[in-house]
């Protein structure tokens, strides 16, 4: 079983920045992919950014050039630097990880952290 603990959400004004953090713990042999998804009220959960074990990153078009994902493999952690935030970035942000315990592959989610962008 894998636990993902997020931190760093909050209330900011348009144009400001936030940094989200997520740390994985538990029965982890290897981590394939870590990333961030978000869900706004009344909308489906959507991909924000992912980072594979090989270092390839993928971003939603809506955040390209403003958000940056980074991993710290030594700490089993992933971060999301969010700059130039817009009101439409308001959502609950979820950390995601695809891991293996050496026997099977698991998809895990964090509990979510609220990001609100409002003047």
């Amino acid at each position: 079983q894998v636990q993902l603990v997020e931190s760093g959400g909050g209330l900011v004004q348009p144009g400001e920045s936030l940094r989200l953090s997520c740390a994985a713990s538990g029965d982890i042999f290897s981590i394939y992919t870590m990333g961030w998804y978000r869900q706004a009220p009344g909308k489906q959960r959507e991909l924000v950014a992912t980072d594979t074990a090989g270092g390839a990153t993928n971003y939603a078009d809506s955040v390209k050039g403003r958000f940056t994902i980074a991993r710290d493999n030594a700490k089993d952690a992933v971060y999301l630097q969010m700059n130039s935030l817009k009101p439409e970035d308001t959502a609950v942000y979820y950390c995601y990880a695809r891991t293996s315990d050496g026997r099977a592959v698991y998809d895990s989610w964090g509990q979510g952290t609220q990001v609100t962008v409002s003047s």
Side-chain angles (χ1 to χ4, degrees), residues 4-9 20 36-37 45 91-95 109-115:
L4 301 176
V5 178
E6 303 127 330
S7 62
L20 305 183
W36 295 92
Y37 287 70
R45 190 174 297 189
V92 177
Y93 284 69
Y94 296 91
C95 180
W109 296 90
Q111 79 284 359
T113 186
Q114 178 70 47
V115 171

Side-chain angles (χ1 to χ4, degrees), residues 64-112:
K64 284 180 181 177
R66 300 188 298 122
F67 291 11
T68 303
I69 189 170
R71 279 175 68 164
D72 185 335
N73 292 323
K75 296 182 178 180
D76 289 340
V78 65
Y79 310 95
L80 186 68
Q81 178 66 43
M82 305 185 293
N83 298 329
S84 302
L85 282 161
K86 304 176 180 180
E88 50 263 43
D89 295 318
T90 296
V92 177
Y93 284 69
Y94 296 91
C95 180
Y96 162 80
R98 172 160 287 184
T99 64
S100 172
D101 61 2
R103 297 175 297 278
V105 176
Y106 303 93
D107 290 325
S108 301
W109 296 90
Q111 79 284 359

Side-chain angles (χ1 to χ4, degrees), residues 3-36:
Q3 295 80 42
L4 301 176
V5 178
E6 303 127 330
S7 62
L11 170 64
V12 296
Q13 295 188 344
E16 294 186 338
S17 299
L18 275 178
R19 183 174 185 254
L20 305 183
S21 300
C22 173
S25 63
D27 189 7
I28 299 172
F29 178 74
S30 60
I31 301 179
Y32 300 120
T33 299
M34 296 191 82
W36 295 92

Side-chain angles (χ1 to χ4, degrees), residues 21-65:
S21 300
C22 173
S25 63
D27 189 7
I28 299 172
F29 178 74
S30 60
I31 301 179
Y32 300 120
T33 299
M34 296 191 82
W36 295 92
Y37 287 70
R38 68 186 180 187
Q39 188 167 17
K43 295 187 177 182
Q44 290 188 330
R45 190 174 297 189
E46 63 176 4
L47 178 146
V48 177
T50 57
D51 188 322
T52 68
T57 56
N58 182 41
Y59 293 92
D61 288 342
S62 60
V63 307
K64 284 180 181 177

